[in-house]
Amino acid sequence: MAPHDSPVHSPGGAASNERQQMVDALRGFALLGILVVNIASFASTYYGLGVPDPMGVSLADRCASFVRAFVFENKFYLLFSFLFGYSFTLQMRSAERDGKAFVPRMVRRHVGLWVIGVVHAVLLYYGDILTTYAVLGAVLLMLRRRGDVFLACAGIALVLLTSLLWAAVGQMYTHMDMLMATQAAYAEAAAALAAYRATPAMVVVQHLRDLSQTWWITGLVQAPEALAMFFAGFIAGRRGLLAHVEAHRALLWRVLLWGLVIGLPGALAYAWPTLRLNDPVRDIQGLAVALLTAPFLSAAYAAGMLLVFQAGRGRLLVQLLAPAGRMALSNYLLQSLVCAWIFLAYGLRWIGTIGPLATFAVAFAIFAGNLALSWWWMHRFAYGPAEWLLRAFTNLQRPPLRRRRRADQRDSSAES
């Protein structure tokens, strides 16, 4: 996640600002989903290993795991990816308007984002997505002049090939493979738990170990799907779909309907193994289906929220979420910092002590803090602290931090 460079001025003034607030609010909404998923990795070393978590075997905790998988997993980072691609077009227009070279500025931006991501991954959260976004952003930079048809076809191919790859992996998984993987997973989880509870230095060592073991999962699961959503967001930005939300209500309703029709069965296939426990084969098969359908459900989330935002009371929700979305990078890092303090040896060492249901409560409490802090900060400053740092490196100049006019709010919006 990273901020876009400057407000997008267009005829309409207040109306344009209101539309930008909707995009910021959508980004703020995505922050909640990201946190609900990420906190599971902080709370348990069993998460993602395909074996039961000793703290999550009760009916209530299994239901919480099901809800997390069904509603949140594999959806919200795709929503962030779509918004990253959308904001890329805003960056291009900003560079053209300012008369500055676009490519050098974006190269510095992605380098800065990658450095922040590396520090984040090593110190706080090995599941960092910023480094992936930085690399994929470079791919989008190289393909920015290609037509919409090419980008759409490339995105579809990425989703199809990724889903087919994991379907093939699921077919090759034997009972003996499952037994050996289960035994290794328990040993791995126990070793990681001891390390994360030990000392801050051991936390860093374990993060490095986890990174060495999980990078290929990022490359074969998250990266292709995220790049596909980059392309979708880039096309949407070119066509100004989010700049004229109110003119596309019929399209949003169609996206919502078809996104739910296609996405919900895939989400169910992915989440169902959480109720059965210890079935890695079904986990992989469910993942293959989810990789194919999750982009549709993410699109339905986006369309549904944009429709809600246009309603009377939905505008209050926009006001609540938009400040968090404008400083999304800072909030993403802050979420990891708080979770690392709560669960790891940096602070309370809660890892392995609470189940999935309790982690939901912790996640919502942290997000409530995000909302309150973001409202306070953005009423006083033009950018979040991480956004300010990245912007300074991107433009090679120190931007003013204090908010001087209301238009600065658009200037501090975050992409992801």
Side-chain angles (χ1 to χ4, degrees):
M1 289 166 283
H4 67 62
D5 281 336
S6 62
V8 179
H9 300 290
S10 63
S16 178
N17 185 38
E18 182 177 349
R19 288 191 291 268
Q20 184 58 50
Q21 282 191 319
M22 289 186 185
V23 177
D24 290 332
L26 188 59
R27 193 175 288 110
F29 166 69
L31 272 173
L32 172 61
I34 291 289
L35 175 59
V36 168
V37 175
N38 287 355
I39 199 173
S41 296
F42 285 99
S44 173
T45 55
Y46 292 87
Y47 180 71
L49 295 181
V51 295
D53 180 353
M55 298 301 301
V57 295
S58 70
L59 179 60
D61 282 316
R62 288 166 65 185
C63 289
S65 296
F66 175 84
V67 170
R68 183 178 61 214
F70 182 72
V71 177
F72 295 95
E73 290 179 8
N74 296 317
K75 289 89 173 176
F76 282 86
Y77 86 91
L78 295 181
L79 179 54
F80 262 126
S81 302
F82 174 86
L83 293 171
F84 189 104
Y86 169 78
S87 294
F88 197 95
T89 64
L90 304 185
Q91 294 281 359
M92 292 175 62
R93 293 169 192 157
S94 173
E96 293 174 0
R97 185 173 58 249
D98 296 341
K100 297 180 179 179
F102 175 68
V103 173
R105 188 157 82 171
M106 290 306 292
V107 169
R108 290 193 298 270
R109 181 180 206 82
H110 292 141
V111 169
L113 191 63
W114 186 84
V115 171
I116 293 174
V118 169
V119 174
H120 174 240
V122 173
L123 296 182
L124 299 178
Y125 178 46
Y126 70 91
D128 166 79
I129 195 67
L130 301 179
T131 51
T132 302
Y133 276 12
V135 174
L136 297 182
V139 176
L140 184 58
L141 181 63
M142 291 186 290
L143 298 178
R144 70 190 185 282
R145 300 190 186 279
R146 303 304 294 262
D148 290 353
V149 173
F150 173 86
L151 295 177
C153 290
I156 292 170
L158 284 168
V159 172
L160 286 175
L161 291 174
T162 305
S163 177
L164 289 173
L165 171 65
W166 284 97
V169 171
Q171 290 296 322
M172 293 186 296
Y173 221 78
T174 67
H175 177 74
M176 182 59 66
D177 292 331
M178 182 175 66
L179 180 61
M180 294 175 61
T182 298
Q183 294 173 343
Y186 279 114
E188 179 182 338
L193 181 62
Y196 281 132
R197 284 177 172 173
T199 65
M202 283 302 300
V203 170
V204 172
V205 170
Q206 184 60 39
H207 279 159
L208 293 172
R209 185 179 296 118
D210 288 336
L211 285 167
S212 69
Q213 296 172 350
T214 61
W215 64 269
W216 63 273
I217 297 178
T218 300
L220 296 179
V221 177
Q222 289 185 317
E225 300 264 313
L227 183 57
M229 296 302 285
F230 276 20
F231 293 156
F234 189 78
I235 294 170
R238 275 179 171 173
R239 295 174 175 264
L241 295 181
L242 300 187
H244 306 284
V245 175
E246 66 284 350
H248 300 290
R249 289 181 62 86
L251 175 61
L252 291 176
W253 277 110
R254 289 197 297 271
V255 171
L256 175 62
L257 174 62
W258 286 107
L260 293 176
V261 168
I262 298 173
L264 287 178
L268 181 61
Y270 173 77
W272 188 252
T274 62
L275 298 178
R276 298 169 60 89
L277 298 178
N278 199 17
D279 194 345
V281 173
R282 286 187 179 270
D283 283 345
I284 296 175
Q285 294 171 344
L287 175 63
V289 175
L291 289 172
L292 184 63
T293 61
F296 293 93
L297 195 51
S298 296
Y301 286 178
M305 293 304 296
L306 289 172
L307 288 168
V308 169
F309 291 160
Q310 295 178 66
R313 293 185 178 180
R315 299 182 187 277
L316 297 177
L317 187 59
V318 170
Q319 297 299 319
L320 178 66
L321 293 173
R326 285 196 291 272
M327 51 183 294
L329 175 59
S330 296
N331 278 317
Y332 174 72
L333 297 173
L334 180 60
Q335 287 173 356
S336 293
L337 179 63
V338 173
C339 286
W341 181 79
I342 291 174
F343 293 102
L344 307 183
Y346 296 127
L348 301 181
R349 293 180 170 88
W350 278 16
I351 187 170
T353 64
I354 62 175
L357 184 60
T359 62
F360 263 96
V362 176
F364 278 90
I366 293 173
F367 187 67
N370 281 148
L371 295 179
L373 181 59
S374 298
W375 183 90
W376 179 88
W377 185 276
M378 294 311 301
H379 276 74
R380 289 161 176 79
F381 302 98
Y383 314 99
E387 286 78 5
W388 181 90
L389 181 64
L390 184 58
R391 181 182 175 90
F393 181 74
T394 298
N395 295 334
L396 297 181
Q397 62 183 23
R398 181 178 177 180
L401 182 58
R402 285 283 179 178
R403 186 171 68 87
R404 293 181 295 181
R405 61 184 186 279
R406 198 156 191 81
D408 284 337
Q409 291 180 350
R410 296 198 304 272
D411 199 25
S412 61
S413 297
E415 76 186 21
S416 119

